[in-house]
Amino acid sequence: MNSLANKYRGHLPIIENPNKDGTLTLFNLQMSQNQNTFAAYSNLFNHLIKNNEKIGRIIEIGTARGGLSILFKLFCIVQKCDFITYDIIHDTIYSDIFKILSIDYRIIDCFNPNSRIEEEIKKEDISIVFCDAGNKNLEVNTFSNDLKSGDIILAHDFIDESREDAYKYWPCKEAYPSAIKLALEKNNIQPFFYEDFYKSATFCGRKI
Ligand SMILES: C[S@@+](CC[C@H](N)C(=O)[O-])C[C@H]1O[C@@H](n2cnc3c(N)ncnc32)[C@H](O)[C@@H]1O
């Protein structure tokens, strides 16, 4: 990495008025995110890489159209780590690209023990678990029990109604603080890059 490239491995700005329509197209890839998702993940990934922390895998629970999965996979190819994406139905519109990129796309209920999510999380190096399926609170409450120290868990559609800016960044509340509080405490998970991710409608926490 030359010094100029390292200099720009910096913090990307988060915008105050992102799209709130539920769908975003980036490079013509469709996903259910707002524009802050890219800055938030970029800031998280750059932080880990700068600190020489080895990412073992990203696990996306809830693939849907699959645009975000493609971006995660490209990152994982560059970082030489694993990427798995789960959905209960085959809903991607990018099947051909999933094949070209050899995306590990598992069609199974994430709560089915045969999904082997627990085993995947427990493998060595940092697991990044993105809960974005049908019951985000339950996904956090379930999979946070499997995290190792240093692992990261995220939940999309996260809204904290006690904040004045609660619905400023996203219209849809499917995860919220009171529903995941006990699991976070029990598993020693602290907020991580909290503000960046809050503004992308996502909770991000890291197991200490
Ligand atoms: C909000 S979408 C995912 C959005 C995607 N991560 C993105 O950023 O574009 C939720 C997806 O979770 C899937 N889903 C719902 N319940 C599930 C379950 N129990 N296990 C796995 N996937 C599930 C749905 O079929 C749907 O495609």
Side-chain angles (χ1 to χ4, degrees):
M1 171 72 54
N2 66 38
S3 58
L4 198 58
N6 225 356
K7 177 179 167 193
Y8 289 104
R9 204 192 274 285
H11 195 87
L12 292 182
I14 298 288
I15 60 174
E16 285 302 317
N17 292 298
N19 65 303
K20 288 174 59 178
D21 303 331
T23 299
L24 175 71
T25 310
L26 179 83
F27 295 166
N28 203 31
L29 293 170
Q30 289 179 35
M31 60 200 81
S32 300
Q33 301 290 325
N34 77 17
Q35 290 116 319
N36 282 330
T37 297
F38 312 110
Y41 276 103
S42 188
N43 294 338
L44 169 67
F45 293 158
N46 284 341
H47 171 86
L48 296 174
I49 292 163
K50 260 186 169 173
N51 286 317
N52 294 316
E53 298 197 68
K54 178 91 179 74
I55 302 167
R57 68 208 51 74
I58 298 176
I59 300 170
E60 180 188 40
I61 307 175
T63 316
R65 307 290 243 175
L68 184 60
S69 316
I70 290 170
L71 298 183
F72 280 148
K73 177 65 183 184
L74 292 176
F75 172 77
C76 289
I77 290 171
V78 174
Q79 291 309 124
K80 299 185 171 54
C81 64
D82 295 330
F83 173 65
I84 309 167
T85 185
Y86 289 89
D87 207 298
I88 203 161
I89 51 165
H90 188 293
D91 200 26
T92 182
I93 55 172
Y94 303 115
S95 292
D96 49 347
I97 302 172
F98 274 35
K99 279 202 189 81
I100 291 166
L101 293 176
S102 301
I103 289 182
D104 189 346
Y105 182 31
R106 302 189 189 176
I107 307 299
I108 188 167
D109 184 334
C110 62
F111 299 113
N112 182 329
N114 291 330
S115 73
R116 304 180 61 82
I117 292 178
E118 180 180 337
E119 287 93 320
E120 296 295 345
I121 293 173
K122 287 180 172 167
K123 287 181 179 170
E124 68 177 346
D125 298 320
I126 297 169
S127 292
I128 298 174
V129 184
F130 178 43
C131 300
D132 196 14
N135 188 337
K136 279 85 171 173
N137 290 321
L138 184 59
E139 291 151 31
V140 172
N141 291 335
T142 303
F143 300 116
S144 60
N145 294 317
D146 304 317
L147 301 180
K148 313 176 298 293
S149 172
D151 285 352
I152 292 166
I153 191 156
L154 304 108
H156 194 233
D157 299 298
F158 178 75
I159 304 272
D160 179 353
E161 288 188 325
S162 72
R163 288 174 61 129
E164 264 182 27
D165 62 355
Y167 288 95
K168 180 173 176 193
Y169 308 98
W170 198 241
C172 169
K173 185 184 85 167
E174 291 187 26
Y176 44 93
S178 63
I180 58 174
K181 185 173 181 286
L182 287 179
L184 301 183
E185 282 171 7
K186 183 177 84 168
N187 291 302
N188 214 5
I189 296 165
Q190 302 285 330
F192 197 60
F193 281 80
Y194 188 86
E195 280 303 307
D196 283 9
F197 276 101
Y198 188 80
K199 294 175 182 180
S200 80
T202 302
F203 168 81
C204 178
R206 186 167 205 191
K207 184 169 170 115
I208 303 302

